[in-house]
Amino acid sequence: MTQQTLTRQQAAERLCDCYAGYFDITQSPAEDAPLVAEMAFHAHTSKYVLSKKATLWEANSHEYVYLFSVPHLTKEIFSACEALAYDRGMARVEPGPNHMYTYITALFLCDTCDPEARTALKRCRHYKSYRLSYWGWMDFHTGLAELSTGKTAANPSGHSAAQTLATTLFHKKLRFKRRERTYL
């Protein structure tokens, strides 16, 4: 049985279709290459008693996904794209008393990848809390799909991004070695 490989264009379309159910998708113009699309998700939850005027609590959650497509991912290209996603995502963060979290995710589609770029992607860590997390936090996720080999990778925060890439593009189900910790 031969594995049918997707082109980067087909993979980008498949990912956009996957995210379209929950995210607002904006296709990027050609001059923004290698950025293919920006996706945004916003959720507002609240709890009230008897009337909406008697609100007990409110929470706003946001997620911004930046999809990049390059033929060969190098460490320099990764660093430039990571900085672009981080800067654009941080410009959209609005911390405040009702802000719970903002996730910024950089997804990479490539045909081949340098080992240095894969290592940099796995080690990428950006986290920021606002007012000791009373005003929420920001976490940066990364995900990589190498289309020629069918492999995925992610940083520690982005394991859900790697799982989405694996199931959407390669029809694989990933199992993670780490378990959730419970404290008694």
Side-chain angles (χ1 to χ4, degrees), residues 85-103:
Y86 181 78
D87 292 341
R88 286 192 181 184
M90 287 300 288
R92 298 170 86 176
V93 175
E94 298 175 3
N98 296 331
H99 176 253
M100 185 174 170
Y101 65 83
T102 299
Y103 294 146

Side-chain angles (χ1 to χ4, degrees), residues 8 32-36 66-86 106-114 116-118 120-121 124 140 142-144:
R8 286 181 289 118
D32 282 352
L35 182 64
V36 175
Y66 299 90
L67 180 61
F68 298 96
S69 176
V70 293
H72 181 75
L73 186 64
T74 62
K75 187 175 180 182
E76 293 77 24
I77 293 172
F78 168 75
S79 298
C81 293
E82 173 203 355
L84 176 73
Y86 181 78
L107 297 179
F108 294 89
L109 299 174
C110 64
D111 296 325
T112 57
C113 176
D114 284 346
E116 297 85 18
R118 181 183 295 274
L121 181 131
C124 175
F140 190 81
T142 60
L144 167 70

Side-chain angles (χ1 to χ4, degrees), residues 177-182:
K177 294 178 183 173
R178 68 179 187 183
R179 296 181 182 174
E180 291 185 29
R181 294 183 181 158
T182 57

